[in-house]
């Protein structure tokens, strides 16, 4: 049971209120990923290109990054609820726009996905802070884990349910969005009943850039580690179903949803594994898992090989969870307390650059990039290269900087042990 807490404004935050906020975060996470199979359906139904499909994910990532940069500071100025409630309204508008995309086509999908990214990013980041404050200081860390778990569950269940609906039920353009619409309306009604937890009027300044003394760790560890988070996850959402369809497998919407379920499930479990391994090991193991996911994925897209999607998705999920957890831990280690937010923000920019990788690769290698099996093998080789960088220069960079060293201060040779 979630313990009762007292928020910073003196209002009582009951276990029931915290549970209701968790339900709202689940609804936002469910809605964020339930659209993935429908995006694939729209691409085929509207005769769009694979590059167009990748753009639907990229503009969502751009919206997320914008929300990450401005959502937190705005909630410090205006209050948590004052940001969360309009963001939920914006998410409702985005879902309605996605429902109308069958009529308005590609421009509407792009606009709706951008709005969805902005709304989702604000809900995820500020919602987590809001839940931490509701839980009180003693239970803040537990509340953060709870928020991450609830959202991971939504990320996993949303595309799986949508994949089943689009594959076998009527109204493939509408049914998934109708469920998401009902969930977002429910989230809005929940949020309206929750108390504010932050005294408004406080100032906050957006810090962008690398804190002094963190460049080596950022370039040698955080960049390759950040790229490992979503670059291979996007293969399970785009490349696997498209190439399976070309190989004669008919249930591509279902397999997309199933892949997402496995990826998110293994990513969530990998977070706890990363804590035991420590970042010096978790980062390069994530790279090996990414390479294994590409190799298994290549087997899966051969005629009759669709069952290989299951272990490929599991390996990709491990790469996702290990790299995300170790990247956040290293960001926390490299920067002093007053500048950790800036470094983690830069890490998230790299993470969502990986989310945009299908579009970037399609622009470099051509529109059929995600439709070719050799793309999987090339990315597998890239994963091995990133593994090497993390295990050598990256590991040296994070071990040569003592925990808590002020920014810009020279290292004295102290070496922290792996957590």
């Amino acid at each position: 049971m979630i313990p009762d807490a007292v928020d910073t404004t003196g209002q009582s935050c009951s276990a029931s209120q915290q549970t209701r906020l968790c339900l709202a975060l689940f609804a936002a996470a469910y809605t964020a990923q339930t659209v993935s199979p429908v995006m694939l359906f729209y691409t085929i139904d509207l005769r769009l290109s694979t590059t167009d499909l990748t753009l639907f994910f990229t503009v969502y990532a751009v919206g997320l990054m914008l929300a990450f940069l401005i959502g937190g500071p705005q909630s410090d100025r205006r209050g948590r609820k004052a940001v969360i409630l309009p963001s939920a309204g914006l998410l409702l508008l985005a879902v309605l726009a996605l429902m109308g995309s069958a009529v308005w086509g590609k421009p509407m999908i792009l606009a709706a996905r951008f709005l969805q990214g902005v709304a989702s990013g604000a809900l995820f980041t500020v919602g987590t802070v809001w839940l931490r404050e509701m839980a009180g200081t003693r239970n803040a860390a537990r509340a953060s884990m709870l928020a991450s778990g609830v959202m991971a569950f939504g990320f996993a269940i949303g595309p799986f349910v949508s994949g089943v609906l689009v594959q076998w039920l009527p109204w493939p353009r509408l049914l998934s969005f109708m469920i998401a619409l009902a969930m977002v309306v429910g989230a809005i009604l929940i949020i309206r009943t929750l108390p504010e937890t932050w005294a408004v009027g406080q100032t906050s300044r957006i810090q962008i850039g690398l804190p002094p003394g963190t460049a080596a760790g950022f370039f040698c560890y955080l960049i390759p580690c950040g790229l490992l988070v979503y670059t291979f996850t996007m293969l399970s959402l785009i490349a696997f179903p498209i190439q399976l369809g070309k190989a004669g497998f008919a249930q591509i919407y279902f397999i997309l949803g199933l892949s997402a379920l496995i990826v998110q499930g293994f990513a969530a479990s990998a977070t706890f594994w990363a804590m035991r391994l420590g970042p010096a090991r978790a980062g390069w193991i994530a790279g090996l898992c990414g390479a294994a996911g590409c190799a298994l994925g290549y087997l899966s897209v051969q005629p009759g090989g669709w069952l290989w999607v299951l272990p490929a998705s599991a390996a990709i999920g491990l790469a996702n969870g290990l790299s995300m957890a170790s990247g956040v831990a290293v960001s926390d280690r490299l920067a002093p307390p007053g500048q950790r937010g800036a470094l983690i923000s830069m890490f998230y920019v790299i993470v969502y650059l990986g989310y945009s990788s299908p579009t970037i690769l399609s622009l470099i290698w051509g529109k059929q990039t995600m439709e070719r099996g050799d793309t999987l093998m090339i990315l597998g080789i890239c994963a091995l290269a990133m593994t090497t960088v993390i295990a050598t220069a990256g590991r040296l960079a994070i071990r040569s900087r003592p925990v808590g060293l002020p920014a810009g201060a020279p290292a004295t040779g102290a070496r922290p042990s792996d957590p």
Side-chain angles (χ1 to χ4, degrees), residues 15 25 30 67 105 118 129 148 172 174 208 211 217 230 234 259 268 290 294 326 352 363-364 409:
L25 290 176
Y30 178 99
V118 172
V129 174
S148 297
L174 296 177
I208 302 175
Y230 279 129
M234 297 310 295
S259 294
C294 290
S326 58
Y352 283 97
L363 292 174
I364 295 172

Side-chain angles (χ1 to χ4, degrees), residues 367-380:
K367 295 181 179 180
Q368 284 75 42
T369 297
M370 290 294 110
E371 301 175 19
R372 298 200 304 264
D374 58 356
T375 299
L376 305 179
M377 300 308 297
I378 292 172
L379 286 177

Side-chain angles (χ1 to χ4, degrees), residues 322-346:
L322 288 173
S323 55
M324 176 65 86
S326 58
V328 171
V330 167
S331 298
D332 195 58
R333 168 183 287 191
L334 291 177
Q339 295 177 297
R340 283 174 183 161
L343 186 57
I344 288 179
S345 294
M346 292 297 293

Side-chain angles (χ1 to χ4, degrees), residues 1-4 13-27 131 134-135 142 146 150 190 193-194:
M1 178 177 293
I2 304 173
D4 290 353
C13 292
S14 66
S16 173
Q17 289 170 330
Q18 295 173 56
T19 301
R20 293 203 299 274
L21 179 54
C22 285
L23 290 175
L25 290 176
F26 171 80
L131 186 62
M134 282 188 176
R142 182 173 180 269
L146 180 63
V150 166
I190 287 172
T193 68
L194 299 177

Side-chain angles (χ1 to χ4, degrees), residues 148-213:
S148 297
V150 166
M151 290 188 290
F153 187 55
F155 293 148
I157 296 298
F160 178 73
V161 171
S162 180
V164 172
L165 297 178
V166 173
Q167 188 69 62
W168 288 299
L169 272 71
W171 308 327
R173 297 184 184 89
L174 296 177
L175 192 54
S176 296
F177 292 143
M178 291 171 65
I179 295 172
L181 193 66
M183 296 183 73
V184 174
V185 170
I188 292 173
L189 295 177
I190 287 172
I191 292 167
R192 288 172 58 88
T193 68
L194 299 177
E196 180 59 74
T197 61
W198 187 250
V200 299
Q202 302 191 32
T203 60
S204 178
R205 180 170 61 91
I206 298 175
Q207 295 185 1
I208 302 175
L210 297 179

